[in-house]
Amino acid sequence: EEPAADLAVPDGVGLLWAARLLGTPLRARVPGSVLVPQLAAASARRGDRWFLLGAAPGVAAEAGQVLATRYPGLKIVGAFAGDAAPAGDQETRAAIQAAGGVDVLLVAYGAPRQEAWMARHHDLGIPVMIGVGGVFNYLAGRSQLAPAWMRRAGLEWLYRLVTEPWRWRRQLALPQFAALVAAEVARRRIGLSG
Ligand code: UDP
């Protein structure tokens, strides 16, 4: 199934650059580390039921404890590492169904596995599913955010390249994306002058 979304937030600096170059500037980056705490505060007021899926064994549960402490009223009804591959689907669906009604499901398998996972399980009928990448690691204190000056300078990707060098292959997507944007800008310029 083709991944699709009702809402896609600009979580990387490349999207801000691209939007500006293509004439539709965006106000700010919305990384998972900003989105999840804000949503947790809103969910706490509503008493929403959250299920945390993904990351290494134990990390989702730890992140859940941190969220439950920080946002009284938020109901963490389940946490499960699971297996991102289809082989893990049955076990994961059973865990989610055992938790009862889930309002919000956070999926931390990194891109594009988490998007594929959500596309495969759309039929669970969970109102809100969000791919959150490394957010559980951050909440559980297993990884640090880049220093504020680096985030402000749009250099979070560089911080992550240095602190999580095993992700270098994934980060090849960044120059590829930049090349696609440059090609689109060039195409429009030629279109305008010709
Ligand atoms: N992960 C996982 N199973 C996988 C692949 C990744 O649980 O098969 C988890 C990993 O432990 C980490 C997250 O997915 O918590 C990947 O986060 P990352 O920040 O690398 O992804 P991004 O936010 O860049 O998409």
Side-chain angles (χ1 to χ4, degrees):
E1 198 179 330
E2 190 68 18
D6 297 304
L7 176 68
V9 295
D11 61 342
V13 73
L15 288 161
L16 263 58
W17 289 339
R20 195 169 55 218
L21 282 168
L22 297 172
T24 53
L26 298 165
R27 266 189 307 224
R29 213 160 65 83
V30 185
S33 57
V34 168
L35 179 67
V36 169
Q38 296 217 8
L39 189 65
S43 268
R45 290 191 292 271
R46 296 160 40 99
D48 285 340
R49 298 164 61 84
W50 282 27
F51 192 104
L52 275 46
L53 175 66
V59 175
E62 256 179 71
Q65 275 165 13
V66 169
L67 287 171
T69 305
R70 212 173 281 173
Y71 303 97
L74 179 64
K75 298 188 175 79
I76 306 295
V77 297
F80 191 58
D83 176 355
D89 283 359
Q90 223 184 338
E91 197 189 354
T92 299
R93 286 177 74 100
I96 292 169
Q97 278 156 351
V102 173
D103 300 307
V104 177
L105 174 67
L106 303 186
V107 187
Y109 287 140
R113 285 195 190 98
Q114 60 199 18
E115 284 72 26
W117 193 96
M118 292 187 285
R120 286 204 305 281
H121 301 286
H122 212 252
D123 66 300
L124 284 169
I126 296 170
V128 177
M129 297 197 286
I130 312 176
V132 297
V135 169
F136 297 169
N137 294 332
Y138 154 67
L139 287 172
R142 304 281 181 104
S143 64
Q144 309 291 314
L145 283 193
W149 70 266
M150 284 189 100
R151 281 183 278 143
R152 273 197 301 271
L155 290 175
E156 189 155 35
W157 58 271
L158 179 61
Y159 179 84
R160 294 202 66 185
L161 182 59
V162 172
T163 57
E164 302 171 52
W166 56 88
R167 289 172 82 252
W168 73 270
R169 201 180 279 282
R170 295 197 35 183
Q171 290 201 336
L172 290 178
L174 307 180
Q176 282 168 14
F177 179 71
L180 284 172
V181 173
E184 177 62 17
V185 170
R187 198 186 63 76
R188 291 189 186 189
R189 295 240 163 102
I190 291 163
L192 284 177
S193 60

